[in-house]
Amino acid sequence: MPQLTPTDQTRMVRGAKRANYDTDTVHAIIDAALICHVAQILPGQKPLVTPTAHWRDGSWLYWHGLASARNVAATPAQPVCINICLVDGLVMARSAFHHSVNYRSVTLFGVPETITDPAEKEHQLERFLDRVSPGRWPQLRPITASELKATGLVRLSITEASAKVRNGPPVDDEADSDWPVWAGVMPLQRTWGNPEPDPAGLQPGVEPPLMG
Amino acid sequence: MPQLTPTDQTRMVRGAKRANYDTDTVHAIIDAALICHVAQILPGQKPLVTPTAHWRDGSWLYWHGLASARNVAATPAQPVCINICLVDGLVMARSAFHHSVNYRSVTLFGVPETITDPAEKEHQLERFLDRVSPGRWPQLRPITASELKATGLVRLSITEASAKVRNGPPVDDEADSDWPVWAGVMPLQRTWGNPEPDPAGLQPGVEPPLMG
Ligand SMILES: Cc1cc2nc3c(=O)[nH]c(=O)nc-3n(C[C@H](O)[C@H](O)[C@H](O)COP(=O)(O)OP(=O)(O)OC[C@H]3O[C@@H](n4cnc5c(N)ncnc54)[C@H](O)[C@@H]3O)c2cc1C
Ligand SMILES: Cc1cc2nc3c(=O)[nH]c(=O)nc-3n(C[C@H](O)[C@H](O)[C@H](O)COP(=O)(O)OP(=O)(O)OC[C@H]3O[C@@H](n4cnc5c(N)ncnc54)[C@H](O)[C@@H]3O)c2cc1C
Ligand code: HEM
Ligand code: HEM
């Protein structure tokens, strides 16, 4: 399996047995999540973190927003750190100390690039929508030039990145193995609820979207 | 309702109609989420963002970890920015441009404090566990002095903070109101799956935990 090369920034120090640099694992975690957290440094040495929807094309992570939004406008030429994580369950141990979370997590470092070419912007926004709801794009009122202009689009190469994954049952101290309390994993699931049609009214015969 | 006072850092510029500074709203969003993202600035002007479990006591946000973990060890005396967000659904509009996410989100700024008093540390870890699983703490193998020592605990005052909330149906352009495509909200729900007992074996009669 192709591997990312750990760097001084991505080499895991704490919990190194949970480190994973497989490209496929990193990509799969990115694809399973809808949102990421983009951290950047503002003037005056102030940290900022912004939740943002993301998508992937090959080895690039993309995000979009108002062209003036700070995680879109201010990032090019400035380093960012991004985390994407999924919470899979709570790990209930026999001691408080060994409680944990089952998770899949990716952290990325780098300097984002701005995409300005309108055709490439439109192509990527179509990919974004297709990831959220496959086949929906051609059904929509077509995008306009001024909408495209208002939208900022940036991408970061998925190169300096690491995955950290915890799964499986609790790891208790041996001396606690017959402590009389329930131990195991409480899985967390994310599911779609019932579609809520726009109360403003829909045209007859339209069907709820397929979700990706 | 008591309000937080917006500062230069927390005054919303983009999407200001979604801003909310009610203390109760901010606290409720923090309590509804299990994890936050802590952003900080590392030596050499590098941003770092770390996913971390959190809990609240009054107007303080707490998190814990290995005493040497960077978001625990390095934060005191250094500013952090923290975001906590919940994704409530996908907003499916009649144009690509008006697609969005329904969410509840809180962003906090400040300089964390380290808690060193062992009794206060133990009290807060009990509160953390109680928030995850009410009533479980007294059933567990009691915490030891060396476990307490290995654990770093920090807190941030919930003072310089803002909530941003989007809910409700899509907001389409009037000209698109009878475009023939389904529009509305696809709600996302988080639910507990079936408890997965530790395959190492449990004592007879123990019951799966109550989850908070
Ligand atoms: C789940 C989720 C997904 C999102 N996806 C996208 C996306 O794909 N594209 C996009 O453009 N935006 C997205 N947003 C909104 C995004 O988080 C920012 O609000 C937006 O990028 C504007 O940021 P800004 O720093 O330029 O705003 P400004 O208005 O300049 O921010 C000023 C202050 O307002 C407050 N504030 C801003 N944003 C938030 C927030 N999210 N929560 C709490 N307080 C806040 C903070 O105190 C901040 O310092 C998403 C938000 C959430 C919660
Ligand atoms: C949902 C969730 C909840 C968590 N809750 C807690 C908690 O409550 N307390 C706690 O101590 N830890 C928690 N963690 C783990 C936490 O994110 C860090 O891994 C831990 O704090 C060590 O960070 P560090 O920077 O000191 O590690 P280091 O080992 O110094 O980090 C070195 C490098 O390893 C990689 N790395 C480290 N952490 C991650 C990660 N999470 N994902 C991907 N790559 C990573 C990065 O490239 C990083 O730069 C949680 C993780 C997740 C996903
Ligand atoms: C499934 C597809 C999409 C999703 C889930 C999505 C999600 C979001 C979210 C959550 C925001 C933040 C709004 C807020 O601050 O509350 C946003 C902003 C924005 N999006 Fe999208 N978007 C999608 C598609 C698009 C497309 C196709 C375009 C361009 C044609 C676009 C252009 C913009 C712009 C300009 C903003 C900033 C304006 C604002 O803050 O309201 N989006 N998007
Ligand atoms: C419901 C309660 C708890 C949860 C959900 C929880 C969750 C976590 C998580 C997710 C980690 C990160 C592990 C990793 O890197 O994969 C962690 C680390 C840690 N926790 Fe907890 N914890 C809980 C209670 C406690 C308590 C009560 C203590 C102390 C008595 C404690 C001490 C520690 C320590 C020392 C670490 C760092 C060691 C490590 O990385 O494995 N935790 N915790």
Side-chain angles (χ1 to χ4, degrees), chain A residues 18 96-97 99-101 103 164, chain B residues 64 66 125 128-129 143 151:
Chain A
R18 300 195 172 130
F97 188 69
H99 280 66
S100 194
V101 177
Y103 61 75
K164 190 172 177 181
Chain B
H64 88 298
L66 202 60
L125 290 165
F128 177 27
L129 213 114
I143 194 169
T151 307

Side-chain angles (χ1 to χ4, degrees), chain A residues 9 14 34-35 37 39-41 45-49 51 53 66 68-70 79-85 87 90 92-99 101 105 107 109 129 132-133 136-137 139-143 147 150-151 169-170 172-173 176-203 206-209 211, chain B residues 9 14 34-35 37 39-41 45-49 51 53 66 68-70 79-85 87 90 92-99 101 105 107 109 129 132-133 136-137 139-143 147 150-151 169-170 172-173 176-203 206-209 211:
Chain A
Q9 281 199 114
R14 278 155 283 267
L34 180 71
I35 69 150
H37 276 82
Q40 62 191 106
I41 305 178
Q45 294 309 308
K46 294 174 182 219
L48 177 71
V49 56
L66 202 60
S68 66
R70 291 182 293 177
V80 299
C81 175
I82 298 182
N83 178 264
I84 296 173
C85 75
V87 177
L90 277 165
M92 312 302 282
R94 294 162 183 86
S95 64
F97 188 69
H98 288 298
H99 280 66
V101 177
S105 172
T107 297
F109 298 89
L129 214 116
V132 169
S133 180
R136 184 170 172 84
W137 181 268
Q139 303 173 31
L140 299 171
R141 187 270 286 151
I143 195 171
E147 288 176 345
T151 306
D172 271 301
D173 296 339
D176 296 335
S177 63
D178 49 16
W179 195 270
V181 65
W182 191 91
V185 172
M186 296 295 294
L188 265 176
Q189 289 161 351
R190 227 174 44 154
T191 51
W192 295 108
N194 293 328
E196 297 167 356
D198 187 350
L202 297 177
Q203 295 302 301
V206 297
E207 293 285 347
M211 300 306 281
Chain B
Q9 282 199 113
R14 278 155 283 267
L34 180 72
I35 68 151
H37 276 82
Q40 62 191 106
I41 304 178
Q45 295 308 309
K46 292 171 185 225
L48 177 72
V49 58
L66 202 60
S68 66
R70 292 182 293 179
V80 299
C81 175
I82 297 182
N83 178 264
I84 296 173
C85 75
V87 176
L90 277 166
M92 313 302 282
R94 296 165 182 81
S95 64
F97 188 71
H98 288 299
H99 280 65
V101 178
S105 171
T107 297
F109 298 89
L129 213 114
V132 169
S133 178
R136 183 170 172 83
W137 181 269
Q139 303 172 30
L140 298 171
R141 188 268 288 152
I143 194 169
E147 288 176 345
T151 307
D172 271 301
D173 295 339
D176 296 334
S177 63
D178 48 18
W179 194 270
V181 66
W182 192 92
V185 173
M186 294 298 293
L188 263 175
Q189 289 163 351
R190 230 174 41 154
T191 52
W192 295 107
N194 292 328
E196 298 168 355
D198 187 350
L202 297 176
Q203 294 302 300
V206 297
E207 294 282 347
M211 300 305 284

